[in-house]
Amino acid sequence: MSAIDDLVSELSRLPTIGRKSALRLTYHLLRQPGEQSRRLAAALIAIVEKVKPCAECGNLTEASPCALCADPRRDRSIICVVEEASDIPAIERTGEYRGLYHVLGGRLAPLDGVGPEDLAVAQLVRRVTAGGVREVILATNPKLEGEATALYVQEQLRDAGVTVSRLARGLPIGGDLEYADGVTIVQALAARRAM
Ligand SMILES: [Zn+2]
């Protein structure tokens, strides 16, 4: 396989990038100064080598615990549970949430072979039962699988002695938290309801 075919094939594996876009990107890279492509390559290698999940919350970070877990100003009595680490920046951008996070690493999706054991639910239960937590906010996406995941997590926390709440509706149904605007997230957080 030629170097061009190789890059086109790798880029095609990325979400939302079809073969046509992959070809366009490849030829774009070939036209630009080599130094720019070298920086892109170095940035890709750096995220692979440096970024790891935080041992406490699962956030993707270069330091463990991550900056959020290590921040003494964060309210450690509230944990916001999200599907992916990429949901955290969306909530952080609002500047309204001061608690900690817990990344599940996905959502229950039996048809895709994702079961409870594939998600960081047991770790969440351990964090909560270790004490000091009074509320867990389930911020899984408002899709069928996100709802099913929220119900499952709630069930697992039933005897943990904490309030379990769910983000209010208002997030676009079927939309991803990651792409929701700040005002919508702030409203969904403020109007969260106990499950
Ligand atoms: Zn963390």
Coordinates of all heavy atoms in Angstrom, one line a residue, residues 5 12 15 17 21-23 38 40 78 85 101-102 105 110 114 119 141 155 166 174-176 178 192:
D5 N -2.2 6.0 0.1 CA -3.3 5.1 0.4 C -3.4 4.8 1.9 O -4.5 4.7 2.5 CB -3.1 3.7 -0.4 CG -3.4 3.9 -1.8 OD1 -4.0 4.9 -2.2 OD2 -2.9 3.0 -2.6
S12 N -9.9 7.5 7.1 CA -11.2 7.1 6.8 C -11.8 6.4 8.1 O -13.0 6.2 8.2 CB -11.3 6.1 5.7 OG -10.7 6.6 4.5
P15 N -14.3 9.0 13.0 CA -15.8 9.3 12.8 C -16.0 10.5 12.0 O -15.2 11.5 12.0 CB -16.2 9.6 14.3 CG -14.9 9.8 15.1 CD -13.8 9.1 14.3
I17 N -15.6 11.0 9.0 CA -14.7 11.2 7.8 C -14.9 10.0 6.9 O -14.5 8.9 7.2 CB -13.2 11.3 8.3 CG1 -13.1 12.5 9.3 CG2 -12.3 11.6 7.0 CD1 -12.0 13.3 9.2
S21 N -13.6 12.6 2.1 CA -13.0 13.6 3.0 C -11.5 13.2 3.3 O -10.6 14.0 3.4 CB -13.7 13.8 4.3 OG -15.0 14.1 4.1
A22 N -11.3 11.9 3.5 CA -10.0 11.4 3.8 C -9.0 11.7 2.6 O -7.9 12.2 2.9 CB -10.0 9.9 4.0
L23 N -9.5 11.6 1.4 CA -8.7 11.9 0.3 C -8.4 13.4 0.2 O -7.2 13.8 0.0 CB -9.4 11.6 -1.0 CG -9.1 10.2 -1.7 CD1 -10.1 10.0 -2.8 CD2 -7.7 10.2 -2.2
R38 N 4.4 17.4 10.3 CA 5.2 16.9 11.4 C 4.7 17.2 12.8 O 4.7 16.4 13.7 CB 6.7 17.4 11.3 CG 7.6 16.5 10.5 CD 9.0 17.0 10.5 NE 9.5 17.1 9.2 CZ 9.9 16.1 8.5 NH1 9.9 14.9 8.9 NH2 10.4 16.3 7.3
L40 N 1.5 17.9 13.4 CA 0.3 17.1 13.6 C 0.7 15.6 14.1 O 0.1 15.1 15.0 CB -0.5 17.0 12.3 CG -1.7 16.1 12.2 CD1 -2.7 16.5 13.2 CD2 -2.3 16.1 10.8
I78 N -20.4 16.2 45.6 CA -21.3 16.0 44.4 C -20.5 15.4 43.3 O -19.4 15.8 43.0 CB -21.9 17.3 43.9 CG1 -22.6 18.1 45.0 CG2 -22.9 17.0 42.7 CD1 -23.2 19.4 44.5
A85 N -15.4 11.1 28.7 CA -14.6 12.2 29.2 C -14.8 13.4 28.3 O -14.7 14.6 28.8 CB -13.1 11.8 29.1
Y101 N -16.4 14.7 38.9 CA -17.0 13.9 37.8 C -16.7 12.4 38.0 O -15.9 12.0 38.7 CB -16.5 14.3 36.5 CG -16.9 15.7 36.1 CD1 -16.1 16.8 36.4 CD2 -18.0 15.9 35.4 CE1 -16.4 18.1 36.0 CE2 -18.4 17.2 35.0 CZ -17.6 18.3 35.3 OH -18.0 19.5 34.9
H102 N -17.5 11.6 37.2 CA -17.1 10.2 37.1 C -17.5 9.8 35.7 O -18.6 9.9 35.2 CB -17.9 9.3 38.1 CG -17.5 7.9 38.1 ND1 -16.4 7.5 38.9 CD2 -17.8 6.8 37.4 CE1 -16.2 6.2 38.8 NE2 -17.0 5.8 37.8
G105 N -17.3 5.6 30.7 CA -16.6 5.0 29.6 C -17.6 4.4 28.6 O -17.3 3.4 27.9
P110 N -26.7 -3.2 24.8 CA -26.6 -4.7 24.6 C -26.4 -5.2 23.2 O -25.7 -6.1 22.9 CB -28.0 -5.2 25.2 CG -28.5 -4.0 25.9 CD -27.9 -2.8 25.4
V114 N -22.2 -4.0 24.8 CA -21.7 -3.2 25.9 C -22.6 -3.5 27.1 O -23.8 -3.1 27.1 CB -21.7 -1.7 25.6 CG1 -21.1 -1.0 26.8 CG2 -20.8 -1.4 24.4
L119 N -18.6 -0.9 31.9 CA -18.7 0.5 32.3 C -18.1 0.6 33.7 O -18.1 -0.4 34.5 CB -20.1 1.0 32.3 CG -20.8 0.9 31.0 CD1 -22.3 1.4 31.1 CD2 -20.1 1.7 29.9
N141 N -26.5 10.8 28.4 CA -27.2 11.4 27.3 C -28.7 11.0 27.3 O -29.1 9.9 27.6 CB -26.6 11.1 25.9 CG -25.3 12.0 25.8 OD1 -25.4 13.2 25.8 ND2 -24.2 11.3 25.6
E155 N -30.0 2.1 40.2 CA -30.3 0.9 40.9 C -29.0 0.4 41.7 O -29.2 0.0 42.9 CB -30.6 -0.2 39.8 CG -31.0 -1.5 40.4 CD -32.3 -1.5 41.3 OE1 -33.1 -0.6 41.0 OE2 -32.3 -2.2 42.2
R166 N -31.2 13.3 38.2 CA -31.0 13.1 36.7 C -31.1 14.5 36.1 O -31.9 15.3 36.6 CB -32.1 12.3 36.2 CG -32.1 12.0 34.7 CD -31.2 10.8 34.4 NE -31.3 10.5 32.9 CZ -30.3 10.8 32.1 NH1 -29.3 11.5 32.5 NH2 -30.4 10.4 30.8
G174 N -31.9 12.8 22.0 CA -31.1 12.2 21.0 C -29.8 13.0 20.7 O -29.0 12.6 19.9
G175 N -29.7 14.1 21.4 CA -28.5 14.9 21.2 C -27.4 14.5 22.2 O -27.7 13.9 23.2
D176 N -26.2 14.9 21.9 CA -25.1 14.6 22.8 C -24.8 15.7 23.7 O -24.7 16.9 23.2 CB -23.9 14.2 22.0 CG -23.9 12.7 21.5 OD1 -24.3 11.9 22.4 OD2 -23.6 12.5 20.4
E178 N -22.1 16.5 24.9 CA -20.8 17.1 24.4 C -21.1 18.3 23.4 O -20.3 19.2 23.4 CB -20.2 15.9 23.6 CG -18.9 16.1 23.0 CD -18.4 14.8 22.3 OE1 -19.0 13.7 22.5 OE2 -17.4 14.9 21.7
R192 N -32.4 19.7 37.7 CA -32.2 18.3 37.9 C -33.2 17.8 38.9 O -33.6 18.5 39.8 CB -30.8 17.9 38.2 CG -30.4 18.4 39.6 CD -28.9 18.1 39.8 NE -28.4 18.4 41.1 CZ -27.8 19.6 41.4 NH1 -27.8 20.6 40.5 NH2 -27.4 19.8 42.6

